[in-house]
Amino acid sequence: MRVAVIGGGPGGLYFAALAKQLSPAWEITVWERNARGDAFGFGVVFSDETLDGIAQADPEVFAAMSARFARWSDIDVRHRGQVRTSGGHGFAALDRNVLRAVLQERCAALGVDVRYRTPAPPVAELSDGYDLVVAADGVRSPTREAFPDSFGTALDERTARYMWLATDRVFEAFTFIVEERDFGAVQVHAYPFDERRSTFIVELGEDAWRRAGFEALAGREFARGESDLASVRRCEEIFADHLDGHRLIPNASKWINFTTVRNASWRHRNVVLLGDAAHTAHFSIGSGTKLAMEDALALAASLHERPTVTEALTAYEAERRPVVESTQRAAQASLEWFENIGRYTGQDVDRFAFNLLTRSRRVTYGNLRERDAAFVDAVDTAFADNALTDAVRVDSVPVDADAAGRGPAAPPMFRPLNLAGLTLRNRVVVPPLATFTSVDGRPGEFERAQLTAQALGGAGLVFAGMTAVSPDGRATPGCPGLWTDRQEADWTSIVRAVRAVSATPLGIQLTHAGRRGSTTVPGPDGIGRPLGGAGWSTLAASPTAWDSGYPAPREATPADLAAVTAAFAAAAARADRAGFDVLELQFGHGHLVSGFLSPLTNRRTDAYGGGLDGRLRLPLEVLAAVRTAWPAGKPLVARISASDWADGGTTETEAVEICRALAAGGADAVDVSTGEVVAHQRPPYGRSYQTPFAELIRHATGIPTIAVGAISTYDDVNSIVLAGRADLVAVGRAHLWDPMWTLHAAAEQGHTGPGARWPEPWRAGSRKPAGPRADRVPPRLHLLREEAAPVHRRWLPASAARPLAATATR
């Protein structure tokens, strides 16, 4: 078999070496336009997981790499003149040029034909002349450009600027430096990669970059290989205190906008993409070289395991794409966190450090506790001590250690919160969960059973869900309502029944489904279908059907809107009389009021349409009417869709302005959801994918927020609360799986404080039952015990103090 490899970077070389090992008879040729000894880049970082794969696949390469590794386990966060250190992470880094040299030598020893200073022939020519073409030709891959229809490339170029540098200061750990200057926030990602140097990546937002004077310094075209030396010197000035007399070392260093590369397909006939040509992930969560070498291993293995090239390439992409997409989701979260770092710099140093470390959602509260319990304990204590100083309009009650000061603080999710005069014993919310079991809008025995079970389950607040304010405001015939005396009596009975066994605060969500109404109960796909002749006429901001096959709604007249507003107010008064403690207004998910907020669904030209002020008119009228009917001493919450997940929909800026207006109109908190506004939405589903919107609104407006959506673990709840991403966390489907979810979360964490009160009749079950073989005591099987790895490991080479010899600067 004849194999052509375009690009002699680490990914291309590693693939060539592995493929040649597995199939010595293959003819493998690598084209590399640069000379063998040309130096590009600085250090690269590897995870233990990747290194295990390299050690198994090629022990010789692993041994050569290991001999040159810088190793450490700490992360230092430097902010506001202070340092916070989290240990137990485990890093290995080395000079990228050393890695290339190791792989070059390995390829030479195996008989791979590497052609240096030789541009590859056109990819179409290679495709015709070789059995396989591996395109490891980088982020600006000419191969992708040659077959655009096959690869379907999408490039997401960000606005933040970064510059890749080195320094002869040897940092002892992975170091995040965050400086607040008059021009804005600027950050550094730094780590050692040998005994004399560290990588030093400077990053800042575009506005800050301009205000700092970098636009003027970088205001010309730089030749290939040339560095922006004026900007380098400016960075030395900004970070002089952290460089401690050392200098920055450029290597073709200039300002860059990071581009995330995604491809619909990684292959075209016998041509396959590898590394940055196929995908990129922001440098803040790892190394592109690491991903490329993982690609190389998977591709070589697939070719060895499959009988044909076509089957091998299909298997390679099927194996690697889920891994890469998971990495890209984490990288996107991390990238956006750093782009918006100014939102978080006002946090106290402990909480800021925790927020930074958990930014990608891959590292969590529990994960950090396993690595370095002392670090998490310190952040927990700082959170408890400073809870009352949070810059949000909410009274967070601190819970300290036990009375003697010996025990750890309560987990963040079990800290109480006073919201508009109502004390919640913890931060967990059971969101409105529809049962679709009502008849004529009357809640029945299942609603009673569900609310009772969930109120006994330990959450701080439990909502009854999707309650219509009028008959035509129902989503389905099985939805409950609150527009008649009989319905009010039913709800009153349910609330009293719950109150008899639990003191958990109860809330109810009021809504008018608008054009989302008159549908069947959702099937397994979660979608309700039109009722047809058995349905009722629907109402909306504009006469646009939800989707094809759905009837068009009637455009609401001013008289209709006045009636809807009055219905919301009347239902709110009934909810108060029924005994509910909290009221939520459904202003999201494409229901009637949501349809007025979104520019995709509101095409009106009257006072209720047009710009945001007009689109806000109905929500604010409803809110004002409800606020009058609902007691001032009871919390009033509004749920919104902060994004429509469709072009032309609600922007982040508009979402913030909507929440500011709702807060000014009397809302005490915002339940921040997204989507379900238009049928053609494309949400990036994933774990806690909506939480960044709750965080944005909380920091931008000061109004308390509820995070909701794909949150199912207590670890995520703890992370969200402690990082300051939301004040409360709604856990929905997990409470359907286990109505006792909150109390079981307390038992798992060994927490028995006031934030997790077990019902007295069930107290005997408050300890987690023993598992299978729990009574087995294993024997000792090792003569000498293996010492546990230290939590804190610094990179302290003996030669670190030596100055780096002068090198040419480009």
Side-chain angles (χ1 to χ4, degrees):
M1 183 151 136
R2 302 182 72 226
V3 180
V5 181
I6 305 173
L13 291 172
Y14 189 47
F15 164 77
L18 292 177
K20 192 70 172 175
Q21 285 181 75
L22 292 172
S23 303
W26 286 10
E27 175 190 326
I28 302 177
T29 305
V30 180
W31 279 269
E32 170 54 44
R33 66 179 181 176
N34 297 304
R36 177 168 181 165
D38 283 352
F40 294 100
F42 301 106
V44 293
V45 183
F46 292 95
S47 66
D48 290 341
E49 183 180 52
T50 302
L51 292 177
D52 287 346
I54 294 173
Q56 188 277 332
D58 195 326
E60 288 190 37
V61 167
F62 178 75
M65 291 171 62
S66 295
R68 303 295 295 275
F69 276 146
R71 289 185 177 273
W72 69 95
S73 67
D74 282 355
I75 297 177
D76 289 347
V77 179
R78 300 183 175 203
H79 181 47
R80 293 186 172 179
Q82 300 182 59
V83 180
R84 295 293 184 269
T85 298
S86 171
H89 296 272
F91 293 98
L94 79 165
D95 187 332
R96 185 178 187 275
N97 298 298
V98 169
L99 174 62
R100 284 180 65 239
V102 166
L103 295 172
Q104 287 169 349
E105 291 170 10
R106 186 67 172 139
C107 284
L110 291 167
V112 174
D113 179 11
V114 183
R115 301 180 182 181
Y116 299 102
R117 293 185 179 275
T118 308
V123 65
E125 180 182 320
L126 292 175
S127 178
D128 289 340
Y130 286 78
D131 300 294
L132 172 66
V133 180
V134 179
D137 49 353
V139 66
R140 297 179 179 82
S141 168
T143 302
R144 289 199 317 258
E145 296 176 3
F147 306 111
D149 293 338
S150 295
F151 294 121
T153 305
L155 303 177
D156 179 14
E157 184 175 293
R158 312 302 293 192
T159 59
R161 307 295 179 109
Y162 72 98
M163 180 182 288
W164 208 288
L165 300 159
T167 176
D168 56 352
R169 169 162 188 183
V170 181
F171 287 94
E172 298 178 4
F174 205 116
T175 303
F176 291 101
I177 302 169
V178 180
E179 285 280 326
E180 295 175 88
R181 296 300 185 97
D182 56 356
F183 55 77
V186 56
Q187 63 264 12
V188 167
H189 313 247
Y191 56 87
F193 62 85
D194 62 24
E195 68 278 3
R196 299 184 301 161
R197 291 172 298 175
S198 301
T199 295
F200 197 92
I201 307 168
V202 181
E203 184 182 28
L204 69 171
E206 186 171 32
D207 290 341
W209 179 78
R210 288 198 172 99
R211 288 193 296 266
F214 287 117
E215 183 178 32
L217 298 176
R220 66 177 180 85
E221 289 292 324
F222 293 91
R224 185 171 183 269
E226 183 184 7
S227 294
D228 179 357
L229 298 181
S231 290
V232 175
R233 299 290 85 83
R234 174 78 167 119
C235 290
E236 284 182 332
E237 295 170 4
I238 293 170
F239 296 104
D241 290 345
H242 302 280
L243 291 170
D244 195 22
H246 293 262
R247 63 195 177 90
L248 293 179
I249 305 165
N251 183 340
S253 302
K254 54 184 74 69
W255 293 109
I256 307 169
N257 297 86
F258 186 82
T259 300
T260 300
V261 175
R262 297 180 178 89
N263 286 283
S265 172
W266 295 356
R267 58 196 190 277
H268 166 78
R269 298 192 317 196
N270 64 337
V271 179
V272 66
L273 304 177
L274 183 147
D276 283 354
H279 48 72
T280 59
H282 194 251
F283 53 81
S284 60
I285 69 144
S287 160
T289 298
K290 164 190 170 298
L291 285 175
M293 292 182 70
E294 290 173 354
D295 283 355
L297 188 152
L299 179 57
S302 295
L303 288 164
H304 181 68
E305 294 165 353
R306 304 288 173 161
T308 68
V309 168
T310 298
E311 290 177 86
L313 298 190
T314 300
Y316 156 69
E317 184 170 351
E319 176 183 335
R320 284 297 292 164
R321 182 178 284 279
V323 176
V324 167
E325 289 179 347
S326 173
T327 300
Q328 288 185 317
R329 284 194 296 271
Q332 188 72 15
S334 180
L335 175 157
E336 291 175 1
W337 193 93
F338 281 110
E339 284 182 340
N340 298 297
I341 197 169
R343 293 177 189 167
Y344 320 116
T345 51
Q347 292 182 311
D348 66 84
V349 176
D350 295 281
R351 205 169 185 189
F352 177 83
F354 179 85
N355 197 347
L356 186 152
L357 293 173
T358 59
R359 67 196 180 278
S360 72
R361 302 195 286 273
R362 279 191 164 182
V363 176
T364 62
Y365 177 88
N367 184 269
L368 283 177
R369 181 168 286 287
E370 287 179 8
R371 298 169 189 254
D372 187 352
F375 170 79
V376 176
D377 283 344
V379 182
D380 269 340
T381 301
F383 174 49
D385 290 344
N386 295 315
L388 288 172
T389 65
D390 269 352
V392 294
R393 188 164 55 81
V394 61
D395 180 13
S396 304
V397 182
V399 176
D400 298 318
D402 64 23
R406 294 184 299 271
M413 66 183 288
F414 291 111
R415 307 274 170 73
L417 185 106
N418 288 339
L419 182 63
L422 176 68
T423 299
L424 306 180
R425 64 174 172 264
N426 62 52
R427 306 302 183 95
V428 181
V429 175
V430 179
L433 298 169
T435 66
F436 303 110
T437 58
S438 296
V439 177
D440 296 328
R442 295 184 64 185
E445 292 307 311
F446 202 93
E447 275 93 347
R448 184 189 303 267
Q450 176 168 293
L451 284 177
T452 303
Q454 291 167 346
L456 289 168
L461 173 62
V462 175
F463 277 105
M466 214 157 77
T467 305
V469 299
S470 62
D472 64 348
R474 293 172 296 165
T476 77
C479 290
L482 195 45
W483 67 83
T484 71
D485 292 343
R486 295 184 70 181
Q487 292 162 353
E488 181 181 328
D490 292 337
W491 282 119
T492 302
S493 173
I494 289 172
V495 171
R496 286 175 179 167
V498 175
R499 288 275 184 272
V501 295
S502 172
T504 300
L506 298 178
I508 187 168
Q509 183 195 72
L510 300 181
T511 189
H512 188 297
R515 69 172 187 165
R516 300 294 308 275
S518 191
T519 66
T520 62
V521 170
D525 60 0
I527 299 173
R529 300 302 192 274
L531 284 172
W536 52 87
S537 175
T538 57
L539 198 65
S542 300
T544 305
W546 163 253
D547 201 0
S548 58
Y550 287 74
R554 181 170 58 82
E555 181 172 295
T557 66
D560 292 326
L561 300 182
V564 166
T565 300
F568 267 99
R574 290 182 182 278
D576 177 41
R577 292 194 296 268
F580 285 101
D581 304 291
V582 181
L583 188 69
E584 177 171 282
L585 303 178
Q586 173 61 292
F587 288 177
H589 292 182
H591 286 217
L592 178 64
V593 180
S594 170
F596 276 81
L597 284 170
S598 172
L600 294 177
T601 51
N602 185 342
R603 306 295 177 83
R604 301 173 72 101
T605 57
D606 63 3
Y608 290 92
L612 184 58
D613 287 346
R615 303 200 307 272
L616 267 166
R617 182 170 177 176
L618 177 65
L620 294 178
E621 288 178 351
V622 170
L623 179 59
V626 169
R627 186 74 273 184
T628 299
W630 183 251
K634 290 186 175 184
L636 177 56
V637 180
R639 171 176 278 202
I640 69 160
S641 287
S643 171
D644 299 336
W645 301 121
D647 291 342
T650 301
T651 66
E652 287 189 0
T653 300
E654 287 178 328
V656 168
E657 291 307 313
I658 288 168
C659 292
R660 281 203 179 102
L662 295 176
D668 297 303
V670 180
D671 186 354
V672 186
S673 188
T674 65
E676 299 188 49
V677 175
V678 292
H680 61 277
Q681 64 175 0
R682 291 293 180 269
Y685 291 118
R687 200 174 101 249
S688 62
Y689 71 105
Q690 297 178 150
T691 299
F693 292 96
E695 182 177 36
L696 163 68
I697 288 162
R698 182 180 190 271
H699 285 280
T701 68
I703 188 172
T705 60
I706 304 173
V708 64
I711 302 168
S712 59
T713 70
Y714 63 80
D715 197 14
D716 283 331
V717 176
N718 281 325
S719 300
I720 289 166
V721 173
L722 188 55
R725 297 184 182 119
D727 300 279
L728 295 164
V729 181
V731 178
R733 293 190 180 185
H735 273 107
L736 295 177
W737 167 260
D738 176 12
M740 301 285 290
W741 183 91
T742 305
L743 290 179
H744 288 160
E748 291 277 358
Q749 297 173 83
H751 176 67
T752 58
R757 275 195 216 112
W758 279 76
E760 196 58 40
W762 291 350
R763 187 167 294 282
S766 62
R767 296 179 63 181
K768 185 179 180 182
R773 303 186 72 192
D775 57 344
R776 180 179 181 270
V777 180
R780 177 170 179 163
L781 299 175
H782 296 87
L783 178 62
L784 299 176
R785 296 188 190 278
E786 186 175 334
E787 289 188 17
V791 172
H792 297 288
R793 181 178 178 182
R794 316 285 286 181
W795 175 242
L796 299 168
S799 59
R802 292 204 310 262
L804 187 66
T807 57
T809 305
R810 294 189 294 168

